Amino acid sequence: MKIGYLYLGIAILAEVIATSALKYSEGFTKPLSSLVVALGYGVAFYFLSLVLKTVPMGVAYAIWSGVGIVLIAGIGWLWMKQPLDAPALLGIGLIVAGVAVIQLFSKSTAH
Protein backbone atom coordinates (compact mmCIF):
# COMPACT_ATOMS: atom_id res chain seq x y z
CA MET A 1 0.00 0.00 0.00
CA LYS A 2 2.91 2.41 0.60
CA ILE A 3 3.80 2.40 -3.09
CA GLY A 4 0.23 3.54 -3.73
CA TYR A 5 0.81 6.64 -1.64
CA LEU A 6 4.07 7.35 -3.46
CA TYR A 7 2.18 7.11 -6.74
CA LEU A 8 -0.52 9.35 -5.28
CA GLY A 9 2.11 11.96 -4.45
CA ILE A 10 3.40 11.84 -8.03
CA ALA A 11 -0.15 12.10 -9.38
CA ILE A 12 -0.89 15.11 -7.17
CA LEU A 13 2.34 16.86 -8.12
CA ALA A 14 1.70 16.30 -11.84
CA GLU A 15 -1.88 17.56 -11.50
CA VAL A 16 -0.77 20.68 -9.63
CA ILE A 17 1.85 21.44 -12.30
CA ALA A 18 -0.73 20.94 -15.05
CA THR A 19 -3.35 23.07 -13.31
CA SER A 20 -0.82 25.84 -12.71
CA ALA A 21 0.15 25.76 -16.39
CA LEU A 22 -3.51 26.18 -17.40
CA LYS A 23 -3.37 29.86 -16.48
CA TYR A 24 -0.33 30.36 -18.68
CA SER A 25 -1.75 28.40 -21.62
CA GLU A 26 -4.18 31.29 -22.23
CA GLY A 27 -6.96 29.08 -23.52
CA PHE A 28 -4.50 26.65 -25.13
CA THR A 29 -3.07 29.37 -27.37
CA LYS A 30 0.44 29.07 -25.92
CA PRO A 31 2.01 25.83 -27.21
CA LEU A 32 4.57 25.21 -24.45
CA SER A 33 2.15 25.81 -21.58
CA SER A 34 -0.49 23.76 -23.38
CA LEU A 35 1.97 20.88 -23.71
CA VAL A 36 2.75 21.07 -19.98
CA VAL A 37 -0.99 20.91 -19.26
CA ALA A 38 -1.54 17.86 -21.49
CA LEU A 39 1.52 15.99 -20.26
CA GLY A 40 0.87 16.89 -16.64
CA TYR A 41 -2.70 15.62 -16.68
CA GLY A 42 -1.64 12.51 -18.61
CA VAL A 43 0.99 11.67 -15.98
CA ALA A 44 -1.43 12.52 -13.18
CA PHE A 45 -4.18 10.23 -14.40
CA TYR A 46 -1.77 7.43 -15.24
CA PHE A 47 -0.38 7.44 -11.70
CA LEU A 48 -3.86 7.82 -10.22
CA SER A 49 -4.85 4.65 -12.08
CA LEU A 50 -1.91 2.88 -10.41
CA VAL A 51 -2.94 4.24 -7.01
CA LEU A 52 -6.39 2.70 -7.35
CA LYS A 53 -4.85 -0.78 -7.39
CA THR A 54 -3.95 -0.45 -3.70
CA VAL A 55 -5.79 2.54 -2.22
CA PRO A 56 -9.61 2.69 -2.02
CA MET A 57 -11.02 5.06 -4.62
CA GLY A 58 -12.83 7.37 -2.19
CA VAL A 59 -9.77 7.73 0.01
CA ALA A 60 -7.45 8.31 -2.94
CA TYR A 61 -9.74 10.93 -4.43
CA ALA A 62 -10.22 12.71 -1.09
CA ILE A 63 -6.46 12.99 -0.64
CA TRP A 64 -5.89 13.89 -4.31
CA SER A 65 -8.45 16.68 -4.28
CA GLY A 66 -7.69 17.96 -0.78
CA VAL A 67 -3.94 18.20 -1.22
CA GLY A 68 -4.38 19.55 -4.74
CA ILE A 69 -6.68 22.33 -3.52
CA VAL A 70 -4.24 23.34 -0.79
CA LEU A 71 -1.25 23.36 -3.16
CA ILE A 72 -3.06 25.22 -5.94
CA ALA A 73 -4.37 27.81 -3.48
CA GLY A 74 -0.81 28.27 -2.17
CA ILE A 75 0.63 28.62 -5.67
CA GLY A 76 -2.09 31.09 -6.58
CA TRP A 77 -1.32 33.14 -3.48
CA LEU A 78 2.48 33.00 -3.70
CA TRP A 79 3.19 33.22 -7.43
CA MET A 80 0.06 34.62 -9.00
CA LYS A 81 -0.66 37.12 -6.23
CA GLN A 82 -4.24 35.89 -5.80
CA PRO A 83 -5.53 36.86 -2.36
CA LEU A 84 -6.90 34.38 0.17
CA ASP A 85 -9.34 35.89 2.64
CA ALA A 86 -10.38 34.44 6.00
CA PRO A 87 -13.31 32.37 4.64
CA ALA A 88 -11.04 30.86 1.96
CA LEU A 89 -8.41 29.98 4.55
CA LEU A 90 -11.06 28.50 6.84
CA GLY A 91 -12.43 26.38 4.00
CA ILE A 92 -8.95 25.17 3.07
CA GLY A 93 -8.33 24.35 6.73
CA LEU A 94 -11.52 22.30 6.84
CA ILE A 95 -10.41 20.39 3.75
CA VAL A 96 -7.06 19.62 5.39
CA ALA A 97 -8.87 18.54 8.56
CA GLY A 98 -11.13 16.26 6.53
CA VAL A 99 -8.21 14.54 4.82
CA ALA A 100 -6.47 14.16 8.20
CA VAL A 101 -9.59 12.58 9.73
CA ILE A 102 -9.79 10.09 6.87
CA GLN A 103 -6.11 9.16 7.21
CA LEU A 104 -6.06 8.96 10.98
CA PHE A 105 -9.43 7.46 11.89
CA SER A 106 -11.14 5.85 8.91
CA LYS A 107 -11.04 2.10 8.51
CA SER A 108 -11.62 2.74 4.79
CA THR A 109 -7.92 3.45 4.32
CA ALA A 110 -7.05 -0.18 5.09
CA HIS A 111 -7.34 -2.21 1.92
Side-chain angles (χ1 to χ4, degrees):
M1 177 116 94
K2 291 184 186 209
I3 192 76
Y5 287 101
L6 172 65
Y7 290 160
L8 184 56
I10 294 168
I12 291 168
L13 182 62
E15 186 266 337
V16 166
I17 290 168
T19 300
S20 298
L22 268 174
K23 173 137 175 87
Y24 298 107
S25 75
E26 297 182 20
F28 291 99
T29 61
K30 302 289 183 180
L32 184 58
S33 296
S34 299
L35 180 62
V36 171
V37 171
L39 290 175
Y41 283 128
V43 169
F45 284 110
Y46 171 73
F47 277 95
L48 185 59
S49 75
L50 298 179
V51 170
L52 297 179
K53 292 180 179 182
T54 59
V55 179
M57 183 170 44
V59 172
Y61 196 75
I63 295 168
W64 156 288
S65 58
V67 173
I69 288 168
V70 170
L71 292 175
I72 288 296
I75 288 168
W77 178 69
L78 287 171
W79 281 286
M80 298 176 187
K81 306 300 181 212
Q82 298 171 348
L84 292 172
D85 60 9
L89 292 171
L90 175 63
I92 290 167
L94 290 170
I95 291 167
V96 170
V99 170
V101 166
I102 290 170
Q103 282 301 108
L104 294 172
F105 304 111
S106 177
K107 290 181 178 35
S108 297
T109 60
H111 183 61

